[in-house]
Amino acid sequence: MFRHKHGVVGLGVTLVMILTAALPLTSRAAEKVIYMQAMEPKGTTSVKKEAFPGKNLPGGGGYVIKAPNKQGKWQVSTYIWNPSQVIVHKGDRVVLKIVGLNGAKHTGSIEHYHPEHFIVKRGRITTVQFTADKAGRFRIGCEDHKPTMTGELIVLDN
Ligand SMILES: [Cu+2]
């Protein structure tokens, strides 16, 4: 009778050990796959509806303004990371899958987590991976499209 009880307790302890070992994979060190896009939202109109404001936007490649064409159409756009704010928890294994939609090339970097440049090209997916070991706000930049192509990685303290 005593031996039988001991066996049941032993099985229970083993189960708890298995569950505890499995927990970090599910809740504590979750893998976060986040899909991002390198984009260029555009606004187009014509001088018949709205006067061309002139080429008055800051340089750096982030703003693009096209003067009226023969038909009087003009266009303004900015380059952005979408989403521009990525939120994860400290300890997460982060996988960013960034596809290039607009612009031939983007030279990206992430403060602290990926300071070395990564290249995003149109029609291709660039994968950036890291473990979010430090909490805080970190700039996601693009060398080719300043200042607008600036995002932020937020790592929440648990
Ligand atoms: Cu860019």
Side-chain angles (χ1 to χ4, degrees), residues 106 142 145 149:
H106 304 273
C142 173
H145 304 108
M149 204 164 179

Side-chain angles (χ1 to χ4, degrees), residues 38-39 61-62 79-81 102-103 105-108 120 141-146 149:
M39 294 182 68
Y79 283 97
I80 59 166
W81 295 117
N102 305 107
K105 186 194 83 166
H106 304 273
T107 308
V120 177
C142 173
E143 292 302 309
D144 310 300
H145 304 108
K146 292 176 177 176
M149 204 164 179

